Amino acid sequence: MQRLSCLLMGFVLILGMTSAERFPRSGRRVCAAAVQSRAAPYVESHVQPVYQPYLTTCQGYRLCSTYRTTYKVAYRLAYRRFPQPMYTCCPGWRRANAHAVGCSKAICRLPCQNGGSCSAPDRCTCPPGWMGKSCQTDVDECAGQRHGCSQHCVNAPGSYGCACRAGHRLSADGKSCQASEPPAEPEASPALNRSGASREMKEEVQALRSRVEVLEQKLQLLLAPFHNLIPSAADDVSTDPISQLFYSLRQLDRIESLSEQISFLEERLETCSCKNER
């Protein structure tokens, strides 16, 4: 056990010396460095005597009480001093975290904006599209001729885009424009054609009916003088009424012809309506 304790102490000593070589030195953004010692607790082993009483025979055959000493390994808490690095970062720099070695984190008093990162004391590295001490200013890419847009350049915060004039559309590359194709005229469907034909036939039937009504009115006016005539006295009928009668008969023929045309058109109209419903 003593050998094991010695090995542990030697390992701790070597580890402390090795870590002391990795202490930050001046010049690595460290302005002051020093090594101080600190007490660290550890558990060590030691030999502890144990006294055990026992009885034995003395002179004269008497019983005597005495003790004997034995030894055992025991453990106890001890303290040892180790070197502790103490250093001060240069102005504008700090440690990345409490366990970091060296001062590698820059300090920017004005925080970097719009995705910028602090790369040096009070200096920001800005992403594309931004500039300024803290990346607060937008870069106007449309101010120069490097944007590559063929027609219009539209500036946006941190970026830009291209646009086209009326009658043109943006190509797949996002920069060039090409003429837009005129929209194709929709073809008339058969249902629309049938509905148009049905509407024309209805208008034609209505016009024929109007003509029949006019002819019927004229016939009533022509037959008015015959209402006072006696049917048996055929010889008393003058020439003028007879001529008027013949004219009225001709008008009746015209009315019948028009009625037949209306009936034919109505049949066609019903046939078209049945086809539209299918």
Side-chain angles (χ1 to χ4, degrees):
M1 296 302 295
Q2 292 181 355
R3 182 178 298 178
L4 179 61
S5 178
C6 293
L7 289 175
L8 289 174
M9 293 177 61
F11 177 74
V12 171
L13 182 60
I14 293 172
L15 182 62
M17 294 178 63
T18 305
S19 61
E21 293 178 357
R22 296 170 54 191
F23 291 160
R25 298 182 178 88
S26 299
R28 295 175 56 190
R29 300 165 186 167
V30 177
C31 292
V35 178
Q36 296 181 356
S37 62
R38 66 179 181 88
Y42 73 99
V43 178
E44 68 174 4
S45 62
H46 66 284
V47 178
Q48 180 179 0
V50 178
Y51 303 101
Q52 296 179 347
Y54 70 98
L55 296 175
T56 185
T57 57
C58 298
Q59 294 179 358
Y61 300 100
R62 292 180 298 109
L63 291 176
C64 297
S65 175
T66 184
Y67 65 90
R68 58 186 173 187
T69 304
T70 59
Y71 298 91
K72 68 175 184 178
V73 178
Y75 299 92
R76 60 188 175 187
L77 185 64
Y79 292 90
R80 184 180 294 110
R81 306 196 70 84
F82 292 96
Q84 175 70 26
M86 299 295 295
Y87 56 92
T88 303
C89 295
C90 296
W93 296 93
R94 64 180 179 87
R95 289 186 294 177
N97 52 66
H99 305 285
V101 176
C103 305
S104 58
K105 191 74 174 179
I107 299 175
C108 292
R109 287 174 293 182
L110 293 177
C112 301
Q113 304 176 20
N114 301 310
S117 59
C118 186
S119 57
D122 294 330
R123 184 183 301 172
C124 296
T125 300
C126 302
W130 299 96
M131 64 179 181
K133 190 174 181 180
S134 57
C135 305
Q136 77 282 3
T137 305
D138 174 45
V139 177
D140 189 1
E141 293 87 355
C142 298
Q145 300 297 327
R146 301 176 61 183
H147 49 77
C149 298
S150 60
Q151 292 186 3
H152 297 298
C153 178
V154 181
N155 186 43
S159 62
Y160 72 98
C162 298
C164 301
R165 293 189 292 267
H168 294 76
R169 59 185 179 88
L170 200 62
S171 301
D173 59 359
K175 293 186 177 182
S176 59
C177 298
Q178 58 183 3
S180 301
E181 297 180 359
E185 296 182 357
E187 297 181 358
S189 61
L192 293 177
N193 294 334
R194 289 195 297 268
S195 62
S198 301
R199 184 168 56 253
E200 293 177 358
M201 292 180 64
K202 289 180 180 179
E203 292 177 356
E204 187 175 355
V205 169
Q206 186 66 29
L208 289 174
R209 285 178 177 173
S210 300
R211 291 176 61 185
V212 169
E213 291 177 358
V214 172
L215 289 175
E216 288 179 350
Q217 292 176 3
K218 288 183 179 180
L219 181 61
Q220 293 295 331
L221 293 174
L222 291 173
L223 293 178
F226 293 96
H227 292 299
N228 299 324
L229 295 176
I230 301 173
S232 60
D235 296 335
D236 296 337
V237 179
S238 61
T239 305
D240 293 334
I242 293 174
S243 61
Q244 292 179 359
L245 179 60
F246 282 115
Y247 178 76
S248 299
L249 293 175
R250 286 195 299 270
Q251 294 295 328
L252 287 173
D253 293 337
R254 293 181 60 186
I255 290 173
E256 290 180 358
S257 176
L258 289 173
S259 299
E260 291 178 356
Q261 294 181 20
I262 291 173
S263 299
F264 176 73
L265 290 174
E266 287 179 346
E267 291 178 357
R268 290 182 58 189
L269 184 61
E270 291 177 356
T271 304
C272 292
S273 299
C274 294
K275 291 181 179 179
N276 290 335
E277 292 177 356
R278 293 178 183 176

